[in-house]
Amino acid sequence: RLVVNHGGGYQYRVCPKTESPTESCFHANPLAFANGKTTVVYSTGKTISLNAVDVTEGVQPAGHAWRRLPIPACNCDFGTSCQNNTIKNSSNSFRAAYTADGSNKAHGHCTFGLQFQAQHISDGSWADGYGYYVSTLGTEEKNKATAINGDPCGNHKDKTTCDSSSKNACTWYAAKTLCYSPKTTAGVGVCKDIKDETACGAASAKSGCKWHSQKQVCYPEQDEKADTSKVTGFAGTGTKDAELYQWWVEDELRAPSKLGDYILQWRWDNEQTPQVWTTCADILVTNAVSGAMFAGASLILH
């Protein structure tokens, strides 16, 4: 289950519970993918089968496949809010589109195209399968009538109606002629326009702004802590209970040949950021278990 799409690829590994669960133990026991398919599963029961892209050259452990994250972000280093590449020498260079000559066709809100051309986008089998904030893929059109960019204040088009909406603490932002809730990412324009750390800190209480010292930009802290149960489209991030997730990905793997108890590791190495994310689970490998997630030599994991 993804919230923010940093690209890159992932691999499943195990460590027997008879050993210490160190990185070297997981590294020594990668699991092979059982087939070349990844299945997208929505909470509604809808499923979409994708052709996976597996890489076996130049990887560690040598020769053991890593699977590319199937979702392309928008066509710049930041993966969202890309701009014309004329800004490539500015402080916002991470937003500069890789190509801005029209050769990379716009798709949805990614006006300068996508980081790579995914088959499910070109053939239309999963047109929603793209973007940077991806926790609620496929819901933005359904909810557009009640909110804009995840903000219940976004439908107010003038200062009078914006100020009168006290229920959501709506605030009118004259410079952008928009109405926003200080506690949602629709207020991103307020923070984005601030150019120094002091002013960013001063706007923290009202607009939730936070200074990113490495990138020297001011951004809404809601980008990190948004309540995805109250957001629509691609506007929010956050970690929530399983029932609030809209979709997830399933892969089928070859189970370890030796029976017993294992710790399963899913390791995701990011491409856009120097980050490694992992999550673990307890699994029991037996000859056959009726009705369980795995049977015989295969594991179906999500």
Side-chain angles (χ1 to χ4, degrees), residues 260-296:
D261 288 295
Y262 292 85
I263 298 174
L264 172 74
Q265 179 198 62
W266 178 77
R267 171 169 167 156
W268 171 28
D269 284 28
N270 294 179
E271 179 180 9
Q272 295 168 229
T273 56
Q275 297 177 333
V276 173
W277 293 79
T278 64
T279 188
C280 294
D282 296 310
I283 62 172
L284 170 65
V285 178
T286 66
N287 285 322
V289 180
S290 176
M293 286 186 69
F294 55 88

Side-chain angles (χ1 to χ4, degrees), residues 39-42 44-50 125 250:
T39 303
V40 177
V41 182
Y42 276 86
T44 59
K46 175 184 176 181
T47 62
I48 304 168
S49 180
L50 306 179
S125 59
E250 290 184 351

Side-chain angles (χ1 to χ4, degrees), residues 52-124:
V53 176
D54 294 340
V55 179
T56 56
E57 295 184 8
V59 299
Q60 293 291 334
H64 293 276
W66 286 70
R67 181 158 287 184
R68 184 176 74 177
L69 204 67
I71 307 168
C74 298
N75 192 35
C76 61
D77 285 345
F78 195 49
T80 186
S81 303
C82 303
Q83 301 176 29
N84 192 293
N85 64 5
T86 55
I87 67 166
K88 62 184 178 181
N89 295 321
S90 72
S91 60
N92 283 325
S93 60
F94 56 90
R95 296 184 188 272
Y98 299 139
T99 57
D101 57 4
S103 60
N104 195 328
K105 186 178 179 181
H107 185 82
H109 67 276
C110 293
T111 55
F112 291 99
L114 304 173
Q115 290 185 347
F116 61 88
Q117 297 303 311
Q119 183 179 345
H120 62 264
I121 297 293
S122 58
D123 64 19

Side-chain angles (χ1 to χ4, degrees), residues 33-238:
F33 292 101
N35 53 50
K37 295 289 186 179
T38 287
T39 303
V40 177
V41 182
Y42 276 86
S43 57
T44 59
K46 175 184 176 181
T47 62
I48 304 168
S49 180
L50 306 179
N51 291 323
V53 176
D54 294 340
V55 179
T56 56
E57 295 184 8
V59 299
Q60 293 291 334
H64 293 276
W66 286 70
R67 181 158 287 184
R68 184 176 74 177
L69 204 67
I71 307 168
C74 298
N75 192 35
C76 61
D77 285 345
F78 195 49
T80 186
S81 303
C82 303
Q83 301 176 29
N84 192 293
N85 64 5
T86 55
I87 67 166
K88 62 184 178 181
N89 295 321
S90 72
S91 60
N92 283 325
S93 60
F94 56 90
R95 296 184 188 272
Y98 299 139
T99 57
D101 57 4
S103 60
N104 195 328
K105 186 178 179 181
H107 185 82
H109 67 276
C110 293
T111 55
F112 291 99
L114 304 173
Q115 290 185 347
F116 61 88
Q117 297 303 311
Q119 183 179 345
H120 62 264
I121 297 293
S122 58
D123 64 19
S125 59
W126 190 30
D128 296 320
Y130 75 100
Y132 183 73
Y133 298 119
V134 294
S135 62
T136 54
L137 288 180
T139 63
E140 68 279 3
E141 290 299 324
K142 178 180 177 181
N143 297 299
K144 189 176 290 185
T146 57
I148 294 178
N149 290 333
D151 190 347
C153 299
N155 287 318
H156 302 307
K157 303 303 181 183
D158 59 80
K159 186 177 186 302
T160 301
T161 56
C162 179
D163 292 344
S164 64
S165 183
S166 57
K167 178 181 178 180
N168 294 307
C170 297
T171 301
W172 182 250
Y173 183 34
K176 296 281 187 178
T177 62
L178 62 83
C179 185
Y180 73 96
S181 170
K183 297 303 181 184
T184 71
T185 53
V188 63
V190 178
C191 302
K192 188 174 67 174
D193 287 348
I194 298 174
K195 304 302 181 184
D196 64 87
E197 184 174 2
T198 301
C200 184
S204 175
K206 182 177 181 180
S207 299
C209 297
K210 187 175 180 180
W211 184 253
H212 192 305
S213 57
Q214 183 178 2
K215 293 184 176 180
Q216 293 292 294
V217 294
C218 187
Y219 68 98
E221 190 172 12
Q222 190 73 4
D223 277 1
E224 294 182 344
K225 300 180 179 179
D227 183 347
T228 54
S229 66
K230 300 177 181 178
V231 226
T232 60
F234 295 81
T237 69

